[in-house]
Amino acid sequence: MPKFAANLSMMFNEVPFQERFPAARNAGFAAVEYLFPYDFPAADLADRLRQEGLTQALFNMPPGNWDAGDRGISALPGREAEFQKSVETALGYARALNCKKIHCMAGIVGPGVKPRIAERTYVGNLRLIAEAAAAAGVTVLIEPLNSRDAPGYLVPYNDHARRVIEEVGAPNLKLQLDLYHTQIMGGDLATSIREFMPITGHVQIAGVPERHEPDVGEINYPYLFGLIDDLGYDGWIGCEYRPRGPTTDGLGWIRPYLR
């Protein structure tokens, strides 16, 4: 049976961030993920997890200047020193939160950067974070982002991510298979799941096209959940969607899967 992690950056926005932990637990979730933890002391977040008996499934490495449009810096030439510092920060939080998976965003590649230079920078930085993360028992994830929501993102397709994973060659570098992004960039989800599951370290879901609950839109998620189960995936499935209204009002889809 699939197991789900609530994404606290998008869900339970009716309450302040730290109150979303008990809200998620009260709704039946056993794990949480979110974009970034860095606005809060790691010890405070660890206390929240312990108090609610929640597992921290995933968070992202520092993305650069998010408000200025950065969506990661690992593929951006000239920012290697900033990336190295972000590795220390992210792994410090991972240790404190007992989180075994972190997502390393590539970045928006501007018109002045040659793609081959960005790719070379990306591969080099991924080797650095993979080595450091391995020593901490952490898996590094890379996630393609669709070109509608993130135009200019270096890695928009799963097969591109696979080529990068193969080039880096680190056993703890895996794919973050987001079915929302995958559907927008070509669909054929059942085939994609079968193809990429061997290198997948984390799965995320949302309805398409509006990124609402997974029972809204064009994807037949119950079928895909059964397929994911059949393929032997036993990790968390992150619910990275924007509820149409109060979060709990839209959770009817998950009740059959709660133990």
Side-chain angles (χ1 to χ4, degrees), residues 91 100-102 126-142 165 168-175 201:
L91 291 179
K100 300 304 182 183
K101 294 177 182 177
I102 57 176
L126 285 174
R127 285 178 176 150
L128 185 153
I129 177 61
E131 182 178 358
V138 171
T139 295
V140 179
L141 304 168
I142 60 173
I165 290 169
V168 172
N172 65 323
L173 180 64
K174 301 291 184 181
L175 174 68

PDB file of all heavy atoms in Angstrom, residues 91 100-102 126-142 165 168-175 201:
ATOM      1  N   LEU A  91      23.304  19.363   4.797  1.00  0.00           N
ATOM      2  CA  LEU A  91      23.615  18.131   5.517  1.00  0.00           C
ATOM      3  C   LEU A  91      23.509  18.325   7.027  1.00  0.00           C
ATOM      4  O   LEU A  91      23.174  17.380   7.747  1.00  0.00           O
ATOM      5  CB  LEU A  91      24.999  17.625   5.122  1.00  0.00           C
ATOM      6  CG  LEU A  91      25.098  17.102   3.685  1.00  0.00           C
ATOM      7  CD1 LEU A  91      26.517  16.652   3.373  1.00  0.00           C
ATOM      8  CD2 LEU A  91      24.117  15.956   3.441  1.00  0.00           C
ATOM      9  N   LYS A 100      16.852  11.336   5.359  1.00  0.00           N
ATOM     10  CA  LYS A 100      17.770  10.525   4.555  1.00  0.00           C
ATOM     11  C   LYS A 100      17.781  10.902   3.077  1.00  0.00           C
ATOM     12  O   LYS A 100      18.522  10.298   2.302  1.00  0.00           O
ATOM     13  CB  LYS A 100      17.417   9.048   4.696  1.00  0.00           C
ATOM     14  CG  LYS A 100      17.500   8.533   6.135  1.00  0.00           C
ATOM     15  CD  LYS A 100      18.890   8.775   6.740  1.00  0.00           C
ATOM     16  CE  LYS A 100      18.991   8.222   8.151  1.00  0.00           C
ATOM     17  NZ  LYS A 100      20.321   8.533   8.763  1.00  0.00           N
ATOM     18  N   LYS A 101      16.994  11.904   2.691  1.00  0.00           N
ATOM     19  CA  LYS A 101      16.951  12.298   1.282  1.00  0.00           C
ATOM     20  C   LYS A 101      16.864  13.818   1.170  1.00  0.00           C
ATOM     21  O   LYS A 101      16.039  14.450   1.854  1.00  0.00           O
ATOM     22  CB  LYS A 101      15.765  11.647   0.574  1.00  0.00           C
ATOM     23  CG  LYS A 101      15.889  10.131   0.489  1.00  0.00           C
ATOM     24  CD  LYS A 101      14.684   9.480  -0.152  1.00  0.00           C
ATOM     25  CE  LYS A 101      14.855   7.958  -0.166  1.00  0.00           C
ATOM     26  NZ  LYS A 101      13.674   7.265  -0.712  1.00  0.00           N
ATOM     27  N   ILE A 102      17.710  14.380   0.312  1.00  0.00           N
ATOM     28  CA  ILE A 102      17.658  15.805   0.039  1.00  0.00           C
ATOM     29  C   ILE A 102      17.660  16.010  -1.470  1.00  0.00           C
ATOM     30  O   ILE A 102      18.278  15.255  -2.219  1.00  0.00           O
ATOM     31  CB  ILE A 102      18.820  16.581   0.694  1.00  0.00           C
ATOM     32  CG1 ILE A 102      20.175  16.039   0.248  1.00  0.00           C
ATOM     33  CG2 ILE A 102      18.690  16.548   2.210  1.00  0.00           C
ATOM     34  CD1 ILE A 102      21.347  16.840   0.789  1.00  0.00           C
ATOM     35  N   LEU A 126      27.294  17.842  -8.372  1.00  0.00           N
ATOM     36  CA  LEU A 126      26.588  16.645  -7.907  1.00  0.00           C
ATOM     37  C   LEU A 126      27.561  15.604  -7.365  1.00  0.00           C
ATOM     38  O   LEU A 126      27.252  14.912  -6.386  1.00  0.00           O
ATOM     39  CB  LEU A 126      25.744  16.057  -9.035  1.00  0.00           C
ATOM     40  CG  LEU A 126      24.468  16.812  -9.374  1.00  0.00           C
ATOM     41  CD1 LEU A 126      23.799  16.209 -10.603  1.00  0.00           C
ATOM     42  CD2 LEU A 126      23.493  16.835  -8.194  1.00  0.00           C
ATOM     43  N   ARG A 127      28.722  15.483  -7.983  1.00  0.00           N
ATOM     44  CA  ARG A 127      29.718  14.559  -7.432  1.00  0.00           C
ATOM     45  C   ARG A 127      30.150  15.003  -6.041  1.00  0.00           C
ATOM     46  O   ARG A 127      30.340  14.176  -5.139  1.00  0.00           O
ATOM     47  CB  ARG A 127      30.910  14.485  -8.381  1.00  0.00           C
ATOM     48  CG  ARG A 127      30.629  13.660  -9.634  1.00  0.00           C
ATOM     49  CD  ARG A 127      31.793  13.636 -10.590  1.00  0.00           C
ATOM     50  NE  ARG A 127      31.500  12.742 -11.722  1.00  0.00           N
ATOM     51  CZ  ARG A 127      31.977  12.902 -12.944  1.00  0.00           C
ATOM     52  NH1 ARG A 127      32.792  13.921 -13.203  1.00  0.00           N
ATOM     53  NH2 ARG A 127      31.662  12.060 -13.913  1.00  0.00           N
ATOM     54  N   LEU A 128      30.270  16.306  -5.854  1.00  0.00           N
ATOM     55  CA  LEU A 128      30.667  16.832  -4.549  1.00  0.00           C
ATOM     56  C   LEU A 128      29.611  16.527  -3.493  1.00  0.00           C
ATOM     57  O   LEU A 128      29.923  15.996  -2.420  1.00  0.00           O
ATOM     58  CB  LEU A 128      30.901  18.339  -4.665  1.00  0.00           C
ATOM     59  CG  LEU A 128      31.438  19.090  -3.439  1.00  0.00           C
ATOM     60  CD1 LEU A 128      32.218  20.324  -3.876  1.00  0.00           C
ATOM     61  CD2 LEU A 128      30.313  19.524  -2.493  1.00  0.00           C
ATOM     62  N   ILE A 129      28.346  16.854  -3.781  1.00  0.00           N
ATOM     63  CA  ILE A 129      27.300  16.643  -2.779  1.00  0.00           C
ATOM     64  C   ILE A 129      27.054  15.162  -2.567  1.00  0.00           C
ATOM     65  O   ILE A 129      26.812  14.712  -1.443  1.00  0.00           O
ATOM     66  CB  ILE A 129      25.997  17.377  -3.164  1.00  0.00           C
ATOM     67  CG1 ILE A 129      24.871  17.095  -2.166  1.00  0.00           C
ATOM     68  CG2 ILE A 129      25.526  17.022  -4.549  1.00  0.00           C
ATOM     69  CD1 ILE A 129      25.144  17.529  -0.754  1.00  0.00           C
ATOM     70  N   ALA A 130      27.156  14.344  -3.622  1.00  0.00           N
ATOM     71  CA  ALA A 130      26.928  12.909  -3.452  1.00  0.00           C
ATOM     72  C   ALA A 130      27.974  12.297  -2.527  1.00  0.00           C
ATOM     73  O   ALA A 130      27.651  11.463  -1.676  1.00  0.00           O
ATOM     74  CB  ALA A 130      26.934  12.208  -4.810  1.00  0.00           C
ATOM     75  N   GLU A 131      29.231  12.709  -2.681  1.00  0.00           N
ATOM     76  CA  GLU A 131      30.280  12.171  -1.819  1.00  0.00           C
ATOM     77  C   GLU A 131      30.071  12.589  -0.369  1.00  0.00           C
ATOM     78  O   GLU A 131      30.169  11.774   0.554  1.00  0.00           O
ATOM     79  CB  GLU A 131      31.645  12.639  -2.310  1.00  0.00           C
ATOM     80  CG  GLU A 131      32.803  12.096  -1.495  1.00  0.00           C
ATOM     81  CD  GLU A 131      34.160  12.531  -2.019  1.00  0.00           C
ATOM     82  OE1 GLU A 131      34.222  13.238  -3.043  1.00  0.00           O
ATOM     83  OE2 GLU A 131      35.177  12.157  -1.397  1.00  0.00           O
ATOM     84  N   ALA A 132      29.770  13.865  -0.158  1.00  0.00           N
ATOM     85  CA  ALA A 132      29.544  14.341   1.202  1.00  0.00           C
ATOM     86  C   ALA A 132      28.306  13.698   1.816  1.00  0.00           C
ATOM     87  O   ALA A 132      28.294  13.332   2.999  1.00  0.00           O
ATOM     88  CB  ALA A 132      29.414  15.871   1.202  1.00  0.00           C
ATOM     89  N   ALA A 133      27.254  13.540   1.025  1.00  0.00           N
ATOM     90  CA  ALA A 133      26.021  12.952   1.532  1.00  0.00           C
ATOM     91  C   ALA A 133      26.194  11.475   1.852  1.00  0.00           C
ATOM     92  O   ALA A 133      25.614  10.964   2.817  1.00  0.00           O
ATOM     93  CB  ALA A 133      24.896  13.142   0.522  1.00  0.00           C
ATOM     94  N   ALA A 134      26.992  10.772   1.061  1.00  0.00           N
ATOM     95  CA  ALA A 134      27.217   9.349   1.319  1.00  0.00           C
ATOM     96  C   ALA A 134      27.826   9.140   2.694  1.00  0.00           C
ATOM     97  O   ALA A 134      27.457   8.197   3.413  1.00  0.00           O
ATOM     98  CB  ALA A 134      28.107   8.757   0.234  1.00  0.00           C
ATOM     99  N   ALA A 135      28.734  10.012   3.070  1.00  0.00           N
ATOM    100  CA  ALA A 135      29.357   9.895   4.385  1.00  0.00           C
ATOM    101  C   ALA A 135      28.344  10.093   5.511  1.00  0.00           C
ATOM    102  O   ALA A 135      28.544   9.609   6.627  1.00  0.00           O
ATOM    103  CB  ALA A 135      30.493  10.908   4.506  1.00  0.00           C
ATOM    104  N   ALA A 136      27.260  10.815   5.213  1.00  0.00           N
ATOM    105  CA  ALA A 136      26.210  11.061   6.208  1.00  0.00           C
ATOM    106  C   ALA A 136      25.043  10.095   6.066  1.00  0.00           C
ATOM    107  O   ALA A 136      24.049  10.227   6.782  1.00  0.00           O
ATOM    108  CB  ALA A 136      25.708  12.501   6.076  1.00  0.00           C
ATOM    109  N   GLY A 137      25.132   9.138   5.146  1.00  0.00           N
ATOM    110  CA  GLY A 137      24.052   8.186   4.936  1.00  0.00           C
ATOM    111  C   GLY A 137      22.835   8.787   4.270  1.00  0.00           C
ATOM    112  O   GLY A 137      21.707   8.333   4.484  1.00  0.00           O
ATOM    113  N   VAL A 138      23.047   9.793   3.420  1.00  0.00           N
ATOM    114  CA  VAL A 138      21.962  10.532   2.784  1.00  0.00           C
ATOM    115  C   VAL A 138      21.978  10.275   1.283  1.00  0.00           C
ATOM    116  O   VAL A 138      23.039  10.215   0.661  1.00  0.00           O
ATOM    117  CB  VAL A 138      22.093  12.041   3.068  1.00  0.00           C
ATOM    118  CG1 VAL A 138      21.118  12.868   2.246  1.00  0.00           C
ATOM    119  CG2 VAL A 138      21.879  12.317   4.565  1.00  0.00           C
ATOM    120  N   THR A 139      20.802  10.141   0.698  1.00  0.00           N
ATOM    121  CA  THR A 139      20.638  10.039  -0.745  1.00  0.00           C
ATOM    122  C   THR A 139      20.331  11.406  -1.325  1.00  0.00           C
ATOM    123  O   THR A 139      19.508  12.150  -0.787  1.00  0.00           O
ATOM    124  CB  THR A 139      19.495   9.068  -1.090  1.00  0.00           C
ATOM    125  OG1 THR A 139      19.855   7.755  -0.654  1.00  0.00           O
ATOM    126  CG2 THR A 139      19.209   9.036  -2.583  1.00  0.00           C
ATOM    127  N   VAL A 140      20.987  11.749  -2.418  1.00  0.00           N
ATOM    128  CA  VAL A 140      20.749  13.004  -3.132  1.00  0.00           C
ATOM    129  C   VAL A 140      19.804  12.736  -4.291  1.00  0.00           C
ATOM    130  O   VAL A 140      19.945  11.741  -5.017  1.00  0.00           O
ATOM    131  CB  VAL A 140      22.066  13.597  -3.658  1.00  0.00           C
ATOM    132  CG1 VAL A 140      21.814  14.897  -4.421  1.00  0.00           C
ATOM    133  CG2 VAL A 140      23.033  13.840  -2.504  1.00  0.00           C
ATOM    134  N   LEU A 141      18.833  13.613  -4.476  1.00  0.00           N
ATOM    135  CA  LEU A 141      17.841  13.469  -5.530  1.00  0.00           C
ATOM    136  C   LEU A 141      17.934  14.628  -6.507  1.00  0.00           C
ATOM    137  O   LEU A 141      18.211  15.766  -6.112  1.00  0.00           O
ATOM    138  CB  LEU A 141      16.437  13.435  -4.933  1.00  0.00           C
ATOM    139  CG  LEU A 141      16.175  12.364  -3.871  1.00  0.00           C
ATOM    140  CD1 LEU A 141      14.857  12.632  -3.173  1.00  0.00           C
ATOM    141  CD2 LEU A 141      16.178  10.974  -4.491  1.00  0.00           C
ATOM    142  N   ILE A 142      17.699  14.342  -7.785  1.00  0.00           N
ATOM    143  CA  ILE A 142      17.531  15.403  -8.772  1.00  0.00           C
ATOM    144  C   ILE A 142      16.170  15.229  -9.426  1.00  0.00           C
ATOM    145  O   ILE A 142      15.729  14.099  -9.678  1.00  0.00           O
ATOM    146  CB  ILE A 142      18.662  15.431  -9.813  1.00  0.00           C
ATOM    147  CG1 ILE A 142      18.761  14.131 -10.602  1.00  0.00           C
ATOM    148  CG2 ILE A 142      19.987  15.721  -9.127  1.00  0.00           C
ATOM    149  CD1 ILE A 142      19.762  14.196 -11.744  1.00  0.00           C
ATOM    150  N   ILE A 165      22.622  11.232 -13.937  1.00  0.00           N
ATOM    151  CA  ILE A 165      22.875  10.248 -12.881  1.00  0.00           C
ATOM    152  C   ILE A 165      23.931   9.245 -13.331  1.00  0.00           C
ATOM    153  O   ILE A 165      24.848   8.895 -12.574  1.00  0.00           O
ATOM    154  CB  ILE A 165      21.560   9.549 -12.490  1.00  0.00           C
ATOM    155  CG1 ILE A 165      20.646  10.532 -11.741  1.00  0.00           C
ATOM    156  CG2 ILE A 165      21.819   8.307 -11.636  1.00  0.00           C
ATOM    157  CD1 ILE A 165      19.225  10.029 -11.546  1.00  0.00           C
ATOM    158  N   VAL A 168      27.424  11.027 -13.402  1.00  0.00           N
ATOM    159  CA  VAL A 168      27.980  11.259 -12.065  1.00  0.00           C
ATOM    160  C   VAL A 168      28.477   9.941 -11.478  1.00  0.00           C
ATOM    161  O   VAL A 168      29.547   9.877 -10.865  1.00  0.00           O
ATOM    162  CB  VAL A 168      26.928  11.917 -11.152  1.00  0.00           C
ATOM    163  CG1 VAL A 168      27.431  11.989  -9.708  1.00  0.00           C
ATOM    164  CG2 VAL A 168      26.587  13.315 -11.663  1.00  0.00           C
ATOM    165  N   GLY A 169      27.681   8.892 -11.626  1.00  0.00           N
ATOM    166  CA  GLY A 169      28.131   7.563 -11.221  1.00  0.00           C
ATOM    167  C   GLY A 169      28.153   7.307  -9.733  1.00  0.00           C
ATOM    168  O   GLY A 169      28.869   6.415  -9.277  1.00  0.00           O
ATOM    169  N   ALA A 170      27.369   8.055  -8.965  1.00  0.00           N
ATOM    170  CA  ALA A 170      27.328   7.870  -7.514  1.00  0.00           C
ATOM    171  C   ALA A 170      26.130   7.003  -7.139  1.00  0.00           C
ATOM    172  O   ALA A 170      25.005   7.303  -7.562  1.00  0.00           O
ATOM    173  CB  ALA A 170      27.244   9.218  -6.804  1.00  0.00           C
ATOM    174  N   PRO A 171      26.315   5.957  -6.347  1.00  0.00           N
ATOM    175  CA  PRO A 171      25.190   5.076  -6.014  1.00  0.00           C
ATOM    176  C   PRO A 171      24.112   5.743  -5.180  1.00  0.00           C
ATOM    177  O   PRO A 171      22.982   5.245  -5.134  1.00  0.00           O
ATOM    178  CB  PRO A 171      25.859   3.926  -5.245  1.00  0.00           C
ATOM    179  CG  PRO A 171      27.147   4.479  -4.761  1.00  0.00           C
ATOM    180  CD  PRO A 171      27.596   5.480  -5.783  1.00  0.00           C
ATOM    181  N   ASN A 172      24.436   6.858  -4.515  1.00  0.00           N
ATOM    182  CA  ASN A 172      23.433   7.545  -3.701  1.00  0.00           C
ATOM    183  C   ASN A 172      22.851   8.761  -4.412  1.00  0.00           C
ATOM    184  O   ASN A 172      22.271   9.648  -3.772  1.00  0.00           O
ATOM    185  CB  ASN A 172      24.017   7.968  -2.352  1.00  0.00           C
ATOM    186  CG  ASN A 172      25.116   9.012  -2.475  1.00  0.00           C
ATOM    187  OD1 ASN A 172      25.916   8.971  -3.424  1.00  0.00           O
ATOM    188  ND2 ASN A 172      25.172   9.944  -1.526  1.00  0.00           N
ATOM    189  N   LEU A 173      22.951   8.825  -5.739  1.00  0.00           N
ATOM    190  CA  LEU A 173      22.291   9.858  -6.534  1.00  0.00           C
ATOM    191  C   LEU A 173      21.126   9.209  -7.268  1.00  0.00           C
ATOM    192  O   LEU A 173      21.316   8.284  -8.057  1.00  0.00           O
ATOM    193  CB  LEU A 173      23.261  10.496  -7.526  1.00  0.00           C
ATOM    194  CG  LEU A 173      22.671  11.590  -8.422  1.00  0.00           C
ATOM    195  CD1 LEU A 173      22.218  12.784  -7.600  1.00  0.00           C
ATOM    196  CD2 LEU A 173      23.679  12.021  -9.490  1.00  0.00           C
ATOM    197  N   LYS A 174      19.902   9.696  -7.006  1.00  0.00           N
ATOM    198  CA  LYS A 174      18.695   9.074  -7.545  1.00  0.00           C
ATOM    199  C   LYS A 174      17.780  10.122  -8.186  1.00  0.00           C
ATOM    200  O   LYS A 174      17.957  11.329  -8.022  1.00  0.00           O
ATOM    201  CB  LYS A 174      17.924   8.360  -6.424  1.00  0.00           C
ATOM    202  CG  LYS A 174      18.704   7.267  -5.710  1.00  0.00           C
ATOM    203  CD  LYS A 174      18.954   6.063  -6.586  1.00  0.00           C
ATOM    204  CE  LYS A 174      19.643   4.931  -5.829  1.00  0.00           C
ATOM    205  NZ  LYS A 174      19.904   3.762  -6.699  1.00  0.00           N
ATOM    206  N   LEU A 175      16.771   9.624  -8.858  1.00  0.00           N
ATOM    207  CA  LEU A 175      15.762  10.465  -9.498  1.00  0.00           C
ATOM    208  C   LEU A 175      14.626  10.758  -8.529  1.00  0.00           C
ATOM    209  O   LEU A 175      14.148   9.865  -7.833  1.00  0.00           O
ATOM    210  CB  LEU A 175      15.208   9.750 -10.730  1.00  0.00           C
ATOM    211  CG  LEU A 175      14.032  10.423 -11.452  1.00  0.00           C
ATOM    212  CD1 LEU A 175      14.474  11.726 -12.124  1.00  0.00           C
ATOM    213  CD2 LEU A 175      13.416   9.466 -12.471  1.00  0.00           C
ATOM    214  N   GLY A 201      14.343   7.504  -6.289  1.00  0.00           N
ATOM    215  CA  GLY A 201      14.500   7.521  -4.846  1.00  0.00           C
ATOM    216  C   GLY A 201      13.346   8.166  -4.110  1.00  0.00           C
ATOM    217  O   GLY A 201      13.233   8.041  -2.887  1.00  0.00           O
TER     218      GLY A 201
END
